[in-house]
Amino acid sequence: MRIDILTLFPQMMSMFFEESIIMRAQKKGLVEVHFHNLHDYSLTRYGSVDDYPYGGNAGMVMAVEPLANCIEALQNERSYDEVIYTAPDGNLFSQGMANELSMKGNMIILCGHYKGIDERIREHFITREISIGDYVLTGGELAAAVMCDAVIRLIPGVIGDEQSALSDSFQDGLLAPPEYTRPAEFRGWRVPDVLLSGNHAKIEQWRYEQALERTRLRRPDLLDNNGQ
Ligand code: ADE
């Protein structure tokens, strides 16, 4: 997979991609992440990329030319499966969307700023608009990082134990059950006996019931959505 991130703050982004599992995924050649500074595509001497909105609204809008130039420069090099725009009015990001994106080849992610981008970019270049939640961030960089993290860890080979990605919260429409590790007793607080029983069928059943109960208590909306 190749991800090209278009941003006004490439340094802010690159720090995140130079750590831990995401770094290892790149070293293993499972994903390539490239940053493009939108100021480099500015038409002005000062590198500005925004302008006042037509119609006299508050705030600034990212201008059409630098964005179109940057996206087209990339599209001239290779074809892209998705050109994603991070915005609070996009479709809500989910585990299902992360699964879908983890199977893509090349993706562009455009990080929005200010009052957003000129609508013509959305109409003519963007294939998906994604929000990471119902709140407004100062820019799309953190949203892009969140999405990349959720997507990259699903690429086969990125996480050592494949099972562990499959048993995440949300993968089966339920929150994950509680987990315990040694010691079996700490300050009198005991690990549930069933987990020490060695009976795998019983353990699976317990995990499923716990996951169901936890989902019922904390996120009943998830049960409504898939009819469990
Ligand atoms: N940019 C600003 N707020 C955002 C959000 N909630 N999701 C994605 N991009 C954003």
Side-chain angles (χ1 to χ4, degrees):
M1 175 186 290
R2 175 182 167 120
I3 305 175
D4 289 274
I5 300 180
L6 282 44
T7 169
L8 295 172
F9 302 104
Q11 266 141 346
M12 166 177 163
M13 302 272 336
S14 60
M15 253 167 50
F16 167 76
F17 288 90
E18 283 160 13
E19 295 294 335
S20 173
I21 290 176
I22 302 302
M23 183 72 229
R24 259 186 290 140
Q26 292 173 86
K27 283 200 171 138
K28 283 196 213 166
L30 298 168
V31 62
E32 265 180 56
V33 183
H34 300 268
F35 299 97
H36 306 275
N37 190 336
L38 287 166
H39 291 111
D40 295 342
Y41 295 84
S42 164
L43 297 185
T44 72
R45 214 161 5 128
Y46 312 103
S48 69
V49 293
D50 59 338
D51 210 336
Y52 294 99
Y54 276 119
N57 209 347
M60 302 291 271
V61 175
M62 286 169 85
V64 67
E65 295 103 329
L67 299 178
N69 289 346
C70 184
I71 294 170
E72 277 176 346
L74 289 168
Q75 287 178 329
N76 287 338
E77 297 283 320
R78 67 195 65 76
S79 70
Y80 284 88
D81 302 311
E82 297 282 355
V83 182
I84 297 168
Y85 171 51
T86 57
D89 58 352
N91 293 318
L92 206 53
F93 190 58
S94 64
Q95 189 63 37
M97 219 184 269
N99 288 343
E100 210 183 304
L101 294 177
S102 74
M103 288 176 254
K104 303 284 181 186
N106 301 328
M107 291 193 280
I108 290 174
I109 304 179
L110 166 60
C111 302
H113 260 273
Y114 314 119
K115 269 279 159 208
I117 61 175
D118 190 299
E119 189 67 18
R120 288 166 289 186
I121 293 291
R122 299 175 85 152
E123 285 168 10
H124 297 285
F125 291 100
I126 300 299
T127 60
R128 271 181 200 242
E129 303 178 329
I130 301 180
S131 162
I132 60 162
D134 290 339
Y135 39 80
V136 179
L137 303 165
T138 56
E141 279 74 15
L142 287 174
V146 164
M147 281 160 37
C148 287
D149 189 280
V151 167
I152 290 171
R153 64 188 290 284
L154 294 172
I155 299 171
V158 168
I159 291 187
D161 177 3
E162 303 286 329
Q163 252 337 95
S164 96
L166 290 177
S167 60
D168 289 335
S169 277
F170 304 112
Q171 270 309 4
D172 52 7
L174 296 177
L175 300 183
E179 297 287 355
Y180 300 86
T181 185
R182 286 185 291 187
E185 184 166 341
F186 173 71
R187 298 183 185 167
W189 307 333
R190 282 188 51 75
V191 169
D193 286 336
V194 61
L195 294 178
L196 311 175
S197 69
N199 182 333
H200 294 291
K202 265 197 170 158
I203 291 172
E204 272 317 296
Q205 180 62 25
W206 180 86
R207 286 210 167 111
Y208 174 70
E209 284 164 8
Q210 291 288 318
L212 200 55
E213 187 54 17
R214 192 162 268 205
T215 311
R216 204 171 270 144
L217 287 172
R218 298 181 186 183
R219 292 293 306 277
D221 55 304
L222 294 176
L223 300 177
D224 297 342
N225 289 345
N226 59 26
Q228 296 205 39

